[in-house]
Amino acid sequence: MRRERARVAVLLSGRGSNFVALAEACARGEVPAEIVLVVSNKPDAAGLERAHERGIPAVAIPGKGLPREEHEAKVIAGIEGAGAQWICLAGYMRLLSEGFVARFPHRILNIHPALLPSFPGLEAQRQAWVYGVKISGCTVHLVDVGCDTGPIVLQRSVPVLDDDTADSLAARILEQEHIAYPTALRLLLTRPWRVDGRRVIFA
Ligand code: GAR
């Protein structure tokens, strides 16, 4: 029996490597999903070009100078217009409002380049390196109104090596992000699961 493919919108602000990892996993049939729209709040985001190359509809909806509600209303109109049921944040450097999150309950995912709850926010890889942790990694989580605070779906760890720089650590974490994000989406789409308090429980 062929499984119905979930329609996914990806929101990004930059390079778009996590978007590409998701798109390629979908194209290989590893994730029963189709990316139907890419939205960037930055018109010059390389991720938009990477979507065009793949024939995936991609739009810039600049946030600069717009009140947050107005910007979000445009983004939501795009997502709903594309018929997306799921939203993957992939380096989307804006916090979502309560209204936005409530509109897609437990259907918004984010990837963060640290083992949450350690090192939320910006430059997480550098924060971890400066702190001197011996293990870091990445986290895929459901999005709530906090900054990198939603229930955790999956984490992957990487060792921090003595001769690492913040950049070499970030590169090693990124490799794991590209595995973690498609894996998490596949799990959520193919396995029964529920949220129990802060915990995402797979049956
Ligand atoms: C990724 O490392 C992602 O985890 C991070 O931004 C980068 C985007 O790279 N996101 C955050 O820090 C969110 N708090 P990409 O554009 O190549 O996917």
Side-chain angles (χ1 to χ4, degrees):
M1 195 181 76
R2 239 185 97 91
R3 190 187 290 272
E4 187 84 0
R5 288 198 301 168
R7 295 173 73 81
V8 176
V10 173
L11 273 48
L12 52 76
S13 302
R15 171 177 66 179
S17 72
N18 277 289
F19 150 65
V20 170
L22 284 168
E24 289 183 348
C26 292
R28 288 193 299 266
E30 292 165 10
V31 179
E34 180 187 4
I35 299 176
V36 293
L37 180 68
V38 171
V39 177
S40 172
N41 62 315
K42 300 278 185 200
D44 58 352
L48 288 172
E49 191 49 42
R50 303 186 86 171
H52 291 311
E53 287 161 12
R54 287 170 174 75
I56 295 174
V59 290
I61 305 182
K64 214 171 167 184
L66 275 189
R68 189 200 211 186
E69 315 80 72
E70 247 177 75
H71 179 252
E72 286 195 344
K74 289 184 179 196
V75 175
I76 289 170
I79 292 167
E80 293 185 342
Q85 305 121 349
W86 286 81
I87 299 166
C88 289
L89 308 183
Y92 188 62
M93 295 306 180
R94 286 180 74 106
L95 276 182
L96 302 180
S97 72
E98 203 172 335
F100 193 126
V101 173
R103 194 145 180 144
F104 304 95
H106 291 162
R107 288 293 178 275
I108 309 176
L109 292 175
N110 182 41
I111 186 150
H112 183 73
L115 294 177
L116 292 170
S118 293
F119 313 119
L122 296 176
E123 297 204 28
Q125 308 95 323
R126 177 169 295 277
Q127 290 184 52
W129 179 77
V130 168
Y131 195 91
V133 295
K134 298 298 187 190
I135 298 172
S136 192
C138 61
T139 304
V140 180
H141 64 93
L142 300 174
V143 170
D144 63 13
V145 289
C147 176
D148 303 321
T149 52
I152 291 171
V153 178
L154 187 149
Q155 294 182 301
R156 291 179 70 90
S157 63
V158 305
V160 183
L161 307 178
D162 289 344
D163 61 355
D164 261 332
T165 61
D167 286 346
S168 66
L169 176 60
R172 198 166 330 103
I173 291 172
L174 192 64
E175 286 175 14
Q176 297 306 311
E177 293 185 46
H178 296 163
I179 300 169
Y181 217 170
T183 305
L185 184 58
R186 185 181 68 233
L187 278 173
L188 291 169
L189 294 175
T190 58
R191 295 260 298 268
W193 57 277
R194 67 180 200 282
V195 178
D196 181 1
R198 285 206 42 83
R199 290 159 5 106
V200 178
I201 312 282
F202 289 94

